[in-house]
Amino acid sequence: MHRRALLSSAAALSLAGFSGCLADARRTTSGRIRADTGHSKLHPADERYVTGSFPDDADFRGWLFSDPPADQRDVFTDRAMQGQYSNDLLEADGDSFVLLFEVRMPREDAAFYNVAQSPSWTGWRDADIPIRRSPPADLEPFEADTLVCTHLSTFDVARGAAPTNAALRVFERDDESGTTHESDPEQTVATYRVGRWADR
């Protein structure tokens, strides 16, 4: 029994070490991931910017784009195409990739979601992307009972090789200091996982 526990523990350590080696190898091969541009829009849930709908059992949906879709209208509604989202996905060109996600919430929990700092590799094709959650300064303009935050960011990757999967670790913004508690695991309020749009 003791030997089996030791073997199990050793296997877990080996797996963790292997993942760390893959992340180190990816950083060496492809360099760091650098956040480029990003914007969030908080809006009533019935004002849709992304096609499709939320899963029945979730208030989050998101995707990575390493290449632009053949037609952006497969991703964005007409409302989105008339505004700042138009042509955003064209930034996914091999040396850059795009993160698009939406979070649905009741009005009393309204918040903007934005990339906090540059992501890091956690495996050969996996990345970790810190996300800062911050409430709006004024809730008055948002009259709907249910709101959605639609976020889009572009990232640059040295020598290409965009991630195919990412974990979005959400942190609360500290209202007093204006900083994000991303160094303290206990401050993580949610973790979401995203994959490629093509694999949905």
Side-chain angles (χ1 to χ4, degrees):
M1 185 73 171
H2 182 63
R3 181 173 179 274
R4 198 176 308 156
L6 285 175
L7 288 173
S8 176
S9 178
L13 288 172
S14 297
L15 182 59
F18 182 64
S19 297
C21 289
L22 286 178
D24 290 341
R26 173 55 87 188
R27 278 191 290 272
T28 301
T29 303
S30 301
R32 298 193 178 278
I33 305 172
R34 183 177 63 83
D36 188 8
T37 61
H39 53 82
S40 289
K41 183 171 183 63
L42 193 58
H43 55 90
D46 59 0
E47 291 182 6
R48 294 171 55 242
Y49 286 82
V50 180
T51 61
S53 58
F54 283 86
D56 292 338
D57 59 347
D59 289 321
F60 172 88
R61 58 184 187 144
W63 311 271
L64 298 170
F65 295 82
S66 54
D67 298 294
D71 187 347
Q72 290 199 88
R73 293 182 186 275
D74 293 338
V75 180
F76 292 130
T77 63
D78 288 341
R79 182 190 300 274
M81 292 299 292
Q82 294 168 11
Q84 65 193 99
Y85 292 97
S86 179
N87 296 321
D88 276 340
L89 295 182
L90 299 181
E91 297 296 322
D93 62 0
D95 289 328
S96 298
F97 70 93
V98 173
L99 166 67
L100 172 66
F101 69 85
E102 293 194 305
V103 183
R104 181 173 57 186
M105 67 207 86
R107 182 178 182 273
E108 58 269 23
D109 294 333
F112 289 97
Y113 290 75
N114 290 287
V115 173
Q117 287 188 350
S118 294
S120 58
W121 291 107
T122 57
W124 188 246
R125 300 306 299 270
D126 300 326
D128 177 270
I129 304 179
I131 302 292
R132 181 182 65 246
R133 180 185 186 277
S134 53
D138 183 10
L139 256 181
E140 191 172 337
F142 307 104
E143 298 179 355
D145 292 335
T146 304
L147 301 173
V148 169
C149 179
T150 301
H151 176 87
L152 186 146
S153 280
T154 61
F155 302 87
D156 294 328
V157 185
R159 296 182 292 280
T164 57
N165 297 282
L168 310 185
R169 291 185 299 113
V170 181
F171 301 91
E172 289 282 5
R173 183 179 178 83
D174 188 322
D175 291 333
E176 294 182 4
S177 67
T179 60
T180 302
H181 297 291
E182 62 182 62
S183 60
D184 188 349
E186 284 74 28
Q187 297 297 330
T188 302
V189 296
T191 300
Y192 302 117
R193 302 196 177 276
V194 295
R196 297 187 306 175
W197 170 268
D199 296 337
R200 69 193 188 287

